[in-house]
Amino acid sequence: MAWDTAGTRRRLLDAGARQFAARGFAGTTMDALSRDAGVNKERVYAYFGDKRGLFGAVLADRLGGLLDGAQVEGTGPAAVGAWAGELFDRYRRTPDLARLLAWESLELDEAASADHRAATCRDRATHLRAVLPGLDAARAQHLLLSVVTLVTGWWTLARLGDVVLTAGAGADPDDAADARRAALVAQVEALARAT
Amino acid sequence: MAWDTAGTRRRLLDAGARQFAARGFAGTTMDALSRDAGVNKERVYAYFGDKRGLFGAVLADRLGGLLDGAQVEGTGPAAVGAWAGELFDRYRRTPDLARLLAWESLELDEAASADHRAATCRDRATHLRAVLPGLDAARAQHLLLSVVTLVTGWWTLARLGDVVLTAGAGADPDDAADARRAALVAQVEALARAT
DNA sequence: GAGAACTCCAAACGATCGGTTGGAGAGACG
DNA sequence: CGTCTCTCCAACCGATCGTTTGGAGTTCTC
């Protein structure tokens, strides 16, 4: 059997993302993680120092590109609503992303790769001001934060959704997600319109 | 020294709320919890069965009355915005509440005391329809969910706020909370107006 | 007031935690 | 080929985990 250092590293990051997203930092055990990765747990210490080091690496790996590729297309409130819908779809494809964000906030004192992410957010906020003329910088940031909070919240405050949404509550979670997506797009559009 | 069963029980619930809010279910140890409560940890098993039982009891104790007392006063979008501000202030006084909500969503498969909370939410949603004429049932629920998500998100997705908000970012977290509160009230008002 | 019933705690339980060690095997270089 | 370095793993380490036990002290019942 040959070496595969890059592959081993990536398998640990992937398994870390799965495990940390599902169970959080405290809830994840090194045994389960290494079993998931198909790699001996000693490798974690060789590559990432310790458990916390892997956690930080996973967060930086996954959260760094959170807003990459998801840019507002076009102009006007409807474009902002559509962008929120895209963000929602992205979470739907990879729900781990949203949960990692939540664990980061709850279990860490400061954001992973904060500088890079802050720069991305500044870029998105200024772009938002181009899409919605007359929006000042502070309000653009708060709008951005609210959109991300609303969309992320569906995955990270899931029990809240269970409790609040009982009208037309089909047993199918997919239907609930569809309905929520539609409601969010409309609400974000309304937020964007109130400039 | 006399007995104080009600007091012991309450001390465990209070310490449980503090510990679980700060560190989550997996991150909380029975030793730290009993030390915090000033009670022997064996008492947890006598009163609540096991660690998970205490967790459920704490959630039911704190989350059951989450929306109690916070009712929309008056009519029209401005009233809804003011209500969101009140909810924000409540979290500000007891941030444990918001974090407990987040841990519940991340670490449990179903909501604690779901029936009672669902009933309260239905009540709040219908009340919302009285405050905002012309709002249908489904949209009222989604509005309710969005308001609670937005307000709760400030405390449960705190790292997100760190990254997104850099404009006029005074080092004082209190100032950031003030600014966020003002932005949220305005945004919720806009959401309520778009009916 | 004797004994049952209950509260509470110190100490200990096996299991599992994050982290380490020693060595077997695979490439690099001469 | 010999040797040195690096990857990888099985087995192990002390510490700590959630939970239980035995018993001392307190209130209730008759």
Side-chain angles (χ1 to χ4, degrees):
Chain A
M1 184 166 54
W3 293 349
D4 183 16
T5 84
T8 299
R9 185 185 182 85
R10 175 115 311 271
R11 254 173 294 170
L12 285 174
L13 283 174
D14 290 344
R18 281 189 296 270
Q19 293 291 320
F20 288 135
R23 291 176 250 285
F25 177 74
T28 294
T29 71
M30 302 301 289
D31 283 319
L33 193 144
S34 64
R35 203 179 317 123
D36 185 352
V39 164
N40 190 275
K41 65 176 174 174
E42 177 267 353
R43 286 290 86 194
V44 172
Y45 300 91
Y47 282 117
F48 303 100
D50 59 2
K51 185 185 181 185
R52 183 157 293 269
L54 174 61
F55 190 50
V58 166
L59 291 179
D61 184 47
R62 300 297 164 113
L63 266 33
L66 177 66
L67 293 178
D68 291 355
Q71 184 70 284
V72 181
E73 305 277 350
T75 59
V80 181
W83 165 66
E86 263 183 54
L87 211 57
F88 189 92
D89 293 337
R90 172 180 294 216
Y91 278 146
R92 208 168 180 178
R93 284 192 298 270
T94 57
D96 284 359
L97 223 56
R99 292 177 61 96
L100 283 175
L101 236 103
W103 293 114
E104 178 199 34
S105 286
L106 291 173
E107 299 192 295
L108 289 185
D109 289 330
E110 55 181 23
S113 60
D115 289 345
H116 170 245
R117 287 162 71 191
T120 311
C121 287
R122 271 194 301 277
D123 175 67
R124 292 300 181 276
T126 59
H127 191 260
L128 220 43
R129 295 180 67 192
V131 173
L132 300 172
L135 190 65
D136 66 71
R139 291 184 57 172
Q141 291 193 342
H142 279 283
L143 177 59
L144 175 62
L145 179 56
S146 288
V147 171
V148 177
T149 299
L150 277 175
V151 176
T152 309
W154 175 251
W155 312 102
T156 62
L157 294 171
R159 256 13 95 220
L160 215 50
D162 295 346
V163 164
V164 175
L165 299 183
T166 55
D172 191 0
D174 261 2
D175 291 346
D178 287 338
R180 185 60 184 161
R181 193 201 124 105
L184 279 181
V185 169
Q187 286 177 347
V188 168
E189 198 173 322
L191 281 181
R193 190 166 285 118
T195 305
Chain B
M1 184 166 60
W3 292 351
D4 183 16
T5 80
T8 299
R9 186 187 181 84
R10 175 117 309 271
R11 255 173 291 169
L12 284 174
L13 283 173
D14 290 345
R18 282 190 295 270
Q19 293 290 321
F20 288 135
R23 291 176 248 286
F25 177 75
T28 294
T29 70
M30 303 301 288
D31 281 317
L33 193 145
S34 65
R35 203 178 318 120
D36 185 351
V39 163
N40 191 276
K41 62 179 172 174
E42 177 267 353
R43 287 289 84 195
V44 172
Y45 301 91
Y47 283 117
F48 303 101
D50 59 3
K51 186 186 182 185
R52 184 157 290 270
L54 175 61
F55 190 51
V58 166
L59 292 178
D61 183 48
R62 299 298 164 113
L63 266 33
L66 178 66
L67 293 178
D68 291 355
Q71 184 68 285
V72 181
E73 305 278 350
T75 58
V80 181
W83 165 67
E86 262 184 53
L87 212 56
F88 189 91
D89 293 336
R90 170 181 296 218
Y91 278 146
R92 207 167 181 180
R93 284 192 299 270
T94 57
D96 285 358
L97 223 56
R99 292 177 60 96
L100 283 176
L101 261 167
W103 294 115
E104 179 198 32
S105 286
L106 290 174
E107 299 192 295
L108 290 185
D109 289 330
E110 55 181 25
S113 59
D115 289 345
H116 170 244
R117 286 162 70 190
T120 311
C121 287
R122 272 194 300 274
D123 175 68
R124 290 300 181 278
T126 59
H127 187 46
L128 220 43
R129 296 181 66 191
V131 174
L132 299 172
L135 189 66
D136 66 72
R139 292 185 56 173
Q141 290 194 342
H142 279 284
L143 177 59
L144 176 61
L145 179 55
S146 288
V147 170
V148 178
T149 298
L150 276 174
V151 177
T152 308
W154 175 252
W155 312 103
T156 62
L157 295 171
R159 258 9 97 220
L160 215 49
D162 295 347
V163 165
V164 174
L165 299 183
T166 57
D172 191 2
D174 260 2
D175 291 346
D178 286 338
R180 185 59 183 162
R181 192 199 123 105
L184 280 182
V185 169
Q187 287 177 347
V188 168
E189 198 173 324
L191 282 181
R193 189 167 286 118
T195 304

